[in-house]
Amino acid sequence: MRHRLPLLGYAYVLIGLASLLLAGDHPGVGMALFAASAFCLFWFLESLRAKLVRYDPDRFFAGIVLGGGASFIALEAGAVAEQSTELAGVAAACAASVVIGSSLAGLSARKVPRTLGRLGVAGGLVVLGVGMAESAFDWTLAGSTLWASAVGFMVWVVVTATFLLRT
């Protein structure tokens, strides 16, 4: 059963994308879908944390991933509810922590290909930079609640879920 939990990463992306697209015009529906996507993301992140604990005996990176993920969900919920690019930018910093922390854990334990780990770190930095730009310039990708930083994080979730399911 546990080995299938990364599938919830795909569910998070599908439901989360729908919630971000709908939240501007239909806030109640958007938040209901966001709740379902948050549920999926928590379980996905726990499956990732369980792997990282084996790679990272002192659990430093595992703590960053779980703390960053929980903070991301709380901040992103506020951003969606308030249609706030400022909160979305702070949520992007939390998402970047998840991406970079898990990539560094995989690299340091030599459990991910070097190129994939480095791309993860670079992707995390891009998510952070885009989130900062979204906050600074009150910018969204489309509509009022579709942030490029959140979409970037979703891309990482799909790649990571695929990697976890294959290993």
Side-chain angles (χ1 to χ4, degrees), residues 76-148:
E76 193 77 0
V80 171
E82 298 296 320
Q83 298 182 13
S84 168
T85 54
E86 292 85 3
L87 285 175
V90 179
C94 298
S97 295
V98 172
V99 174
I100 294 169
S102 61
S103 298
L104 290 175
L107 278 171
S108 68
R110 297 183 182 136
K111 297 294 183 181
V112 297
R114 224 169 160 71
T115 304
L116 185 63
R118 288 179 178 169
L119 284 172
V121 171
L125 292 172
V126 168
V127 167
L128 176 62
V130 169
M132 291 169 62
E134 289 167 335
S135 287
F137 302 110
D138 194 25
W139 175 74
T140 60
L141 187 60
S144 59
T145 55
L146 183 61
W147 296 285

Side-chain angles (χ1 to χ4, degrees), residues 42-58:
F42 271 125
W43 283 87
F44 167 76
L45 288 174
E46 180 52 32
S47 72
L48 175 61
R49 187 204 64 82
K51 283 261 194 214
L52 293 179
V53 165
R54 287 187 265 158
Y55 302 166
D56 179 30
D58 67 358

